[in-house]
mmCIF file with all atom_site columns, all heavy atoms in Angstrom:
data_model
loop_
_atom_site.group_PDB
_atom_site.id
_atom_site.type_symbol
_atom_site.label_atom_id
_atom_site.label_alt_id
_atom_site.label_comp_id
_atom_site.label_asym_id
_atom_site.label_entity_id
_atom_site.label_seq_id
_atom_site.pdbx_PDB_ins_code
_atom_site.Cartn_x
_atom_site.Cartn_y
_atom_site.Cartn_z
_atom_site.occupancy
_atom_site.B_iso_or_equiv
_atom_site.pdbx_formal_charge
_atom_site.auth_seq_id
_atom_site.auth_comp_id
_atom_site.auth_asym_id
_atom_site.auth_atom_id
_atom_site.pdbx_PDB_model_num
ATOM 1   N N   . GLU R 1 6  ? 188.901 -129.193 86.321  1.00 0.00 ? 16 GLU R N   1
ATOM 2   C CA  . GLU R 1 6  ? 188.225 -129.036 85.029  1.00 0.00 ? 16 GLU R CA  1
ATOM 3   C C   . GLU R 1 6  ? 187.958 -127.563 84.741  1.00 0.00 ? 16 GLU R C   1
ATOM 4   O O   . GLU R 1 6  ? 188.207 -127.075 83.628  1.00 0.00 ? 16 GLU R O   1
ATOM 5   C CB  . GLU R 1 6  ? 186.881 -129.782 85.007  1.00 0.00 ? 16 GLU R CB  1
ATOM 6   C CG  . GLU R 1 6  ? 187.003 -131.269 84.980  1.00 0.00 ? 16 GLU R CG  1
ATOM 7   C CD  . GLU R 1 6  ? 185.662 -131.954 85.091  1.00 0.00 ? 16 GLU R CD  1
ATOM 8   O OE1 . GLU R 1 6  ? 184.619 -131.287 84.934  1.00 0.00 ? 16 GLU R OE1 1
ATOM 9   O OE2 . GLU R 1 6  ? 185.643 -133.169 85.349  1.00 0.00 ? 16 GLU R OE2 1
ATOM 10  N N   . MET R 1 20 ? 202.201 -121.177 81.702  1.00 0.00 ? 30 MET R N   1
ATOM 11  C CA  . MET R 1 20 ? 203.337 -120.349 82.119  1.00 0.00 ? 30 MET R CA  1
ATOM 12  C C   . MET R 1 20 ? 202.898 -118.960 82.497  1.00 0.00 ? 30 MET R C   1
ATOM 13  O O   . MET R 1 20 ? 203.344 -118.411 83.522  1.00 0.00 ? 30 MET R O   1
ATOM 14  C CB  . MET R 1 20 ? 204.423 -120.285 81.041  1.00 0.00 ? 30 MET R CB  1
ATOM 15  C CG  . MET R 1 20 ? 205.627 -119.484 81.463  1.00 0.00 ? 30 MET R CG  1
ATOM 16  S SD  . MET R 1 20 ? 207.016 -119.631 80.340  1.00 0.00 ? 30 MET R SD  1
ATOM 17  C CE  . MET R 1 20 ? 207.525 -121.291 80.716  1.00 0.00 ? 30 MET R CE  1
ATOM 18  N N   . LYS R 1 24 ? 203.223 -117.364 86.254  1.00 0.00 ? 34 LYS R N   1
ATOM 19  C CA  . LYS R 1 24 ? 203.901 -116.103 86.524  1.00 0.00 ? 34 LYS R CA  1
ATOM 20  C C   . LYS R 1 24 ? 203.025 -115.140 87.295  1.00 0.00 ? 34 LYS R C   1
ATOM 21  O O   . LYS R 1 24 ? 203.488 -114.473 88.223  1.00 0.00 ? 34 LYS R O   1
ATOM 22  C CB  . LYS R 1 24 ? 204.392 -115.460 85.223  1.00 0.00 ? 34 LYS R CB  1
ATOM 23  C CG  . LYS R 1 24 ? 205.604 -116.126 84.650  1.00 0.00 ? 34 LYS R CG  1
ATOM 24  C CD  . LYS R 1 24 ? 206.075 -115.434 83.391  1.00 0.00 ? 34 LYS R CD  1
ATOM 25  C CE  . LYS R 1 24 ? 207.292 -116.125 82.825  1.00 0.00 ? 34 LYS R CE  1
ATOM 26  N NZ  . LYS R 1 24 ? 207.771 -115.468 81.601  1.00 0.00 ? 34 LYS R NZ  1
ATOM 27  N N   . LYS R 1 25 ? 201.753 -115.054 86.908  1.00 0.00 ? 35 LYS R N   1
ATOM 28  C CA  . LYS R 1 25 ? 200.830 -114.149 87.630  1.00 0.00 ? 35 LYS R CA  1
ATOM 29  C C   . LYS R 1 25 ? 200.653 -114.564 89.086  1.00 0.00 ? 35 LYS R C   1
ATOM 30  O O   . LYS R 1 25 ? 200.460 -113.722 89.951  1.00 0.00 ? 35 LYS R O   1
ATOM 31  C CB  . LYS R 1 25 ? 199.468 -114.140 86.935  1.00 0.00 ? 35 LYS R CB  1
ATOM 32  C CG  . LYS R 1 25 ? 199.468 -113.374 85.622  1.00 0.00 ? 35 LYS R CG  1
ATOM 33  C CD  . LYS R 1 25 ? 198.066 -113.402 85.017  1.00 0.00 ? 35 LYS R CD  1
ATOM 34  C CE  . LYS R 1 25 ? 198.029 -112.675 83.701  1.00 0.00 ? 35 LYS R CE  1
ATOM 35  N NZ  . LYS R 1 25 ? 197.857 -111.243 83.852  1.00 0.00 ? 35 LYS R NZ  1
ATOM 36  N N   . LEU R 1 26 ? 200.709 -115.862 89.336  1.00 0.00 ? 36 LEU R N   1
ATOM 37  C CA  . LEU R 1 26 ? 200.507 -116.396 90.698  1.00 0.00 ? 36 LEU R CA  1
ATOM 38  C C   . LEU R 1 26 ? 201.806 -116.582 91.468  1.00 0.00 ? 36 LEU R C   1
ATOM 39  O O   . LEU R 1 26 ? 201.785 -116.950 92.641  1.00 0.00 ? 36 LEU R O   1
ATOM 40  C CB  . LEU R 1 26 ? 199.750 -117.709 90.632  1.00 0.00 ? 36 LEU R CB  1
ATOM 41  C CG  . LEU R 1 26 ? 198.314 -117.633 90.084  1.00 0.00 ? 36 LEU R CG  1
ATOM 42  C CD1 . LEU R 1 26 ? 197.776 -119.049 89.831  1.00 0.00 ? 36 LEU R CD1 1
ATOM 43  C CD2 . LEU R 1 26 ? 197.412 -116.879 91.044  1.00 0.00 ? 36 LEU R CD2 1
ATOM 44  N N   . VAL R 1 28 ? 204.016 -119.002 91.007  1.00 0.00 ? 38 VAL R N   1
ATOM 45  C CA  . VAL R 1 28 ? 204.186 -120.418 91.305  1.00 0.00 ? 38 VAL R CA  1
ATOM 46  C C   . VAL R 1 28 ? 204.840 -121.080 90.087  1.00 0.00 ? 38 VAL R C   1
ATOM 47  O O   . VAL R 1 28 ? 204.980 -120.452 89.039  1.00 0.00 ? 38 VAL R O   1
ATOM 48  C CB  . VAL R 1 28 ? 202.841 -121.118 91.619  1.00 0.00 ? 38 VAL R CB  1
ATOM 49  C CG1 . VAL R 1 28 ? 202.199 -120.518 92.863  1.00 0.00 ? 38 VAL R CG1 1
ATOM 50  C CG2 . VAL R 1 28 ? 201.885 -121.064 90.439  1.00 0.00 ? 38 VAL R CG2 1
ATOM 51  N N   . VAL R 1 33 ? 200.772 -125.514 88.452  1.00 0.00 ? 43 VAL R N   1
ATOM 52  C CA  . VAL R 1 33 ? 199.538 -125.251 87.698  1.00 0.00 ? 43 VAL R CA  1
ATOM 53  C C   . VAL R 1 33 ? 199.085 -126.527 86.997  1.00 0.00 ? 43 VAL R C   1
ATOM 54  O O   . VAL R 1 33 ? 197.906 -126.874 86.997  1.00 0.00 ? 43 VAL R O   1
ATOM 55  C CB  . VAL R 1 33 ? 199.740 -124.102 86.672  1.00 0.00 ? 43 VAL R CB  1
ATOM 56  C CG1 . VAL R 1 33 ? 198.508 -123.950 85.779  1.00 0.00 ? 43 VAL R CG1 1
ATOM 57  C CG2 . VAL R 1 33 ? 200.039 -122.795 87.395  1.00 0.00 ? 43 VAL R CG2 1
ATOM 58  N N   . SER R 1 38 ? 195.382 -131.187 86.545  1.00 0.00 ? 48 SER R N   1
ATOM 59  C CA  . SER R 1 38 ? 195.218 -132.625 86.424  1.00 0.00 ? 48 SER R CA  1
ATOM 60  C C   . SER R 1 38 ? 194.539 -133.244 87.642  1.00 0.00 ? 48 SER R C   1
ATOM 61  O O   . SER R 1 38 ? 194.219 -134.443 87.663  1.00 0.00 ? 48 SER R O   1
ATOM 62  C CB  . SER R 1 38 ? 196.573 -133.298 86.209  1.00 0.00 ? 48 SER R CB  1
ATOM 63  O OG  . SER R 1 38 ? 197.377 -133.176 87.370  1.00 0.00 ? 48 SER R OG  1
ATOM 64  N N   . ARG R 1 41 ? 196.893 -132.156 92.698  1.00 0.00 ? 51 ARG R N   1
ATOM 65  C CA  . ARG R 1 41 ? 197.065 -131.321 93.888  1.00 0.00 ? 51 ARG R CA  1
ATOM 66  C C   . ARG R 1 41 ? 195.933 -130.303 93.942  1.00 0.00 ? 51 ARG R C   1
ATOM 67  O O   . ARG R 1 41 ? 195.328 -129.989 92.930  1.00 0.00 ? 51 ARG R O   1
ATOM 68  C CB  . ARG R 1 41 ? 198.398 -130.579 93.861  1.00 0.00 ? 51 ARG R CB  1
ATOM 69  C CG  . ARG R 1 41 ? 199.570 -131.495 93.872  1.00 0.00 ? 51 ARG R CG  1
ATOM 70  C CD  . ARG R 1 41 ? 200.679 -130.958 94.720  1.00 0.00 ? 51 ARG R CD  1
ATOM 71  N NE  . ARG R 1 41 ? 201.780 -131.920 94.712  1.00 0.00 ? 51 ARG R NE  1
ATOM 72  C CZ  . ARG R 1 41 ? 203.036 -131.590 94.529  1.00 0.00 ? 51 ARG R CZ  1
ATOM 73  N NH1 . ARG R 1 41 ? 203.357 -130.328 94.327  1.00 0.00 ? 51 ARG R NH1 1
ATOM 74  N NH2 . ARG R 1 41 ? 203.963 -132.499 94.567  1.00 0.00 ? 51 ARG R NH2 1
ATOM 75  N N   . GLU R 1 42 ? 195.699 -129.764 95.122  1.00 0.00 ? 52 GLU R N   1
ATOM 76  C CA  . GLU R 1 42 ? 194.730 -128.694 95.308  1.00 0.00 ? 52 GLU R CA  1
ATOM 77  C C   . GLU R 1 42 ? 195.452 -127.440 95.785  1.00 0.00 ? 52 GLU R C   1
ATOM 78  O O   . GLU R 1 42 ? 196.467 -127.530 96.471  1.00 0.00 ? 52 GLU R O   1
ATOM 79  C CB  . GLU R 1 42 ? 193.663 -129.117 96.311  1.00 0.00 ? 52 GLU R CB  1
ATOM 80  C CG  . GLU R 1 42 ? 192.829 -130.269 95.847  1.00 0.00 ? 52 GLU R CG  1
ATOM 81  C CD  . GLU R 1 42 ? 191.798 -130.700 96.880  1.00 0.00 ? 52 GLU R CD  1
ATOM 82  O OE1 . GLU R 1 42 ? 191.840 -130.181 98.034  1.00 0.00 ? 52 GLU R OE1 1
ATOM 83  O OE2 . GLU R 1 42 ? 190.969 -131.548 96.558  1.00 0.00 ? 52 GLU R OE2 1
ATOM 84  N N   . ASP R 1 46 ? 194.132 -118.824 99.552  1.00 0.00 ? 56 ASP R N   1
ATOM 85  C CA  . ASP R 1 46 ? 194.650 -117.584 98.976  1.00 0.00 ? 56 ASP R CA  1
ATOM 86  C C   . ASP R 1 46 ? 194.847 -117.707 97.474  1.00 0.00 ? 56 ASP R C   1
ATOM 87  O O   . ASP R 1 46 ? 194.536 -116.800 96.712  1.00 0.00 ? 56 ASP R O   1
ATOM 88  C CB  . ASP R 1 46 ? 195.971 -117.198 99.642  1.00 0.00 ? 56 ASP R CB  1
ATOM 89  C CG  . ASP R 1 46 ? 195.786 -116.775 101.100 1.00 0.00 ? 56 ASP R CG  1
ATOM 90  O OD1 . ASP R 1 46 ? 194.686 -116.311 101.433 1.00 0.00 ? 56 ASP R OD1 1
ATOM 91  O OD2 . ASP R 1 46 ? 196.746 -116.916 101.872 1.00 0.00 ? 56 ASP R OD2 1
ATOM 92  N N   . LEU R 1 48 ? 193.248 -119.831 95.501  1.00 0.00 ? 58 LEU R N   1
ATOM 93  C CA  . LEU R 1 48 ? 191.903 -119.953 94.919  1.00 0.00 ? 58 LEU R CA  1
ATOM 94  C C   . LEU R 1 48 ? 191.299 -118.570 94.665  1.00 0.00 ? 58 LEU R C   1
ATOM 95  O O   . LEU R 1 48 ? 190.769 -118.307 93.572  1.00 0.00 ? 58 LEU R O   1
ATOM 96  C CB  . LEU R 1 48 ? 191.038 -120.762 95.863  1.00 0.00 ? 58 LEU R CB  1
ATOM 97  C CG  . LEU R 1 48 ? 189.643 -121.145 95.383  1.00 0.00 ? 58 LEU R CG  1
ATOM 98  C CD1 . LEU R 1 48 ? 189.719 -122.046 94.180  1.00 0.00 ? 58 LEU R CD1 1
ATOM 99  C CD2 . LEU R 1 48 ? 188.902 -121.846 96.522  1.00 0.00 ? 58 LEU R CD2 1
ATOM 100 N N   . ASP R 1 60 ? 182.942 -119.881 93.814  1.00 0.00 ? 70 ASP R N   1
ATOM 101 C CA  . ASP R 1 60 ? 181.915 -120.927 93.745  1.00 0.00 ? 70 ASP R CA  1
ATOM 102 C C   . ASP R 1 60 ? 181.918 -121.608 92.380  1.00 0.00 ? 70 ASP R C   1
ATOM 103 O O   . ASP R 1 60 ? 181.834 -122.825 92.296  1.00 0.00 ? 70 ASP R O   1
ATOM 104 C CB  . ASP R 1 60 ? 180.526 -120.369 94.043  1.00 0.00 ? 70 ASP R CB  1
ATOM 105 C CG  . ASP R 1 60 ? 180.258 -120.217 95.531  1.00 0.00 ? 70 ASP R CG  1
ATOM 106 O OD1 . ASP R 1 60 ? 181.026 -120.775 96.339  1.00 0.00 ? 70 ASP R OD1 1
ATOM 107 O OD2 . ASP R 1 60 ? 179.289 -119.538 95.867  1.00 0.00 ? 70 ASP R OD2 1
ATOM 108 N N   . GLY R 1 64 ? 182.943 -125.481 91.250  1.00 0.00 ? 74 GLY R N   1
ATOM 109 C CA  . GLY R 1 64 ? 181.860 -126.282 90.732  1.00 0.00 ? 74 GLY R CA  1
ATOM 110 C C   . GLY R 1 64 ? 180.583 -126.232 91.544  1.00 0.00 ? 74 GLY R C   1
ATOM 111 O O   . GLY R 1 64 ? 179.689 -127.070 91.396  1.00 0.00 ? 74 GLY R O   1
#
Side-chain angles (χ1 to χ4, degrees):
E16 289 175 14
M30 182 169 287
K34 284 182 180 180
K35 286 180 181 277
L36 295 170
V38 298
V43 173
S48 67
R51 298 219 178 133
E52 295 179 352
D56 291 334
L58 187 62
D70 280 345

